[in-house]
mmCIF file of all heavy atoms in Angstrom:
data_model
loop_
_atom_site.group_PDB
_atom_site.id
_atom_site.type_symbol
_atom_site.label_atom_id
_atom_site.label_comp_id
_atom_site.label_asym_id
_atom_site.label_seq_id
_atom_site.Cartn_x
_atom_site.Cartn_y
_atom_site.Cartn_z
ATOM 1 N N PRO Z 16 151.750 145.517 20.819
ATOM 2 C CA PRO Z 16 150.452 145.047 21.275
ATOM 3 C C PRO Z 16 150.605 144.109 22.519
ATOM 4 O O PRO Z 16 149.743 144.046 23.333
ATOM 5 C CB PRO Z 16 150.038 144.167 20.057
ATOM 6 C CG PRO Z 16 150.704 144.686 18.934
ATOM 7 C CD PRO Z 16 152.023 145.216 19.392
ATOM 8 N N HIS Z 74 192.059 144.352 77.277
ATOM 9 C CA HIS Z 74 192.899 143.690 78.149
ATOM 10 C C HIS Z 74 193.994 142.869 77.392
ATOM 11 O O HIS Z 74 193.624 142.234 76.414
ATOM 12 C CB HIS Z 74 192.111 142.729 79.086
ATOM 13 C CG HIS Z 74 192.904 142.109 80.213
ATOM 14 N ND1 HIS Z 74 193.640 140.936 80.104
ATOM 15 C CD2 HIS Z 74 193.023 142.593 81.472
ATOM 16 C CE1 HIS Z 74 194.313 140.747 81.306
ATOM 17 N NE2 HIS Z 74 193.939 141.743 82.090
ATOM 18 N N GLU Z 100 222.774 146.080 72.002
ATOM 19 C CA GLU Z 100 223.322 147.427 72.306
ATOM 20 C C GLU Z 100 223.904 148.018 71.082
ATOM 21 O O GLU Z 100 224.488 147.347 70.233
ATOM 22 C CB GLU Z 100 224.495 147.305 73.380
ATOM 23 C CG GLU Z 100 224.003 146.806 74.728
ATOM 24 C CD GLU Z 100 222.964 147.734 75.336
ATOM 25 O OE1 GLU Z 100 223.063 149.021 75.103
ATOM 26 O OE2 GLU Z 100 221.872 147.236 75.883
ATOM 27 N N LYS Z 128 195.010 157.908 78.523
ATOM 28 C CA LYS Z 128 196.049 156.919 78.587
ATOM 29 C C LYS Z 128 195.236 155.580 78.763
ATOM 30 O O LYS Z 128 194.129 155.506 79.312
ATOM 31 C CB LYS Z 128 196.901 157.059 79.739
ATOM 32 C CG LYS Z 128 198.019 158.017 79.604
ATOM 33 C CD LYS Z 128 198.866 158.094 80.827
ATOM 34 C CE LYS Z 128 200.292 158.447 80.578
ATOM 35 N NZ LYS Z 128 201.139 158.389 81.698
ATOM 36 N N TRP Z 337 215.989 149.202 53.777
ATOM 37 C CA TRP Z 337 215.455 150.355 54.465
ATOM 38 C C TRP Z 337 215.036 151.310 53.315
ATOM 39 O O TRP Z 337 215.825 151.477 52.386
ATOM 40 C CB TRP Z 337 216.565 151.137 55.191
ATOM 41 C CG TRP Z 337 217.138 150.334 56.355
ATOM 42 C CD1 TRP Z 337 216.896 150.510 57.673
ATOM 43 C CD2 TRP Z 337 218.287 149.579 56.299
ATOM 44 N NE1 TRP Z 337 217.713 149.727 58.435
ATOM 45 C CE2 TRP Z 337 218.604 149.151 57.660
ATOM 46 C CE3 TRP Z 337 219.110 148.985 55.276
ATOM 47 C CZ2 TRP Z 337 219.703 148.275 57.969
ATOM 48 C CZ3 TRP Z 337 220.149 148.097 55.595
ATOM 49 C CH2 TRP Z 337 220.422 147.734 56.852
ATOM 50 N N MET Z 355 207.179 160.574 47.688
ATOM 51 C CA MET Z 355 207.856 159.692 48.566
ATOM 52 C C MET Z 355 208.728 160.511 49.441
ATOM 53 O O MET Z 355 209.360 161.399 49.005
ATOM 54 C CB MET Z 355 208.668 158.645 47.751
ATOM 55 C CG MET Z 355 209.465 157.690 48.671
ATOM 56 S SD MET Z 355 210.689 156.734 47.863
ATOM 57 C CE MET Z 355 209.727 155.712 46.725
ATOM 58 N N PHE Z 360 213.921 165.485 46.115
ATOM 59 C CA PHE Z 360 215.017 164.549 45.831
ATOM 60 C C PHE Z 360 216.161 164.619 46.819
ATOM 61 O O PHE Z 360 216.267 165.719 47.525
ATOM 62 C CB PHE Z 360 215.571 164.881 44.427
ATOM 63 C CG PHE Z 360 214.698 164.388 43.337
ATOM 64 C CD1 PHE Z 360 213.995 165.295 42.459
ATOM 65 C CD2 PHE Z 360 214.504 162.990 43.088
ATOM 66 C CE1 PHE Z 360 213.184 164.814 41.437
ATOM 67 C CE2 PHE Z 360 213.717 162.527 42.027
ATOM 68 C CZ PHE Z 360 213.034 163.388 41.209
ATOM 69 N N GLY Z 407 230.263 160.821 61.473
ATOM 70 C CA GLY Z 407 230.336 160.443 62.927
ATOM 71 C C GLY Z 407 228.964 160.506 63.652
ATOM 72 O O GLY Z 407 228.748 159.707 64.486
#
Side-chain angles (χ1 to χ4, degrees):
H74 194 275
E100 294 303 319
K128 281 181 148 186
W337 299 263
M355 181 191 292
F360 283 113

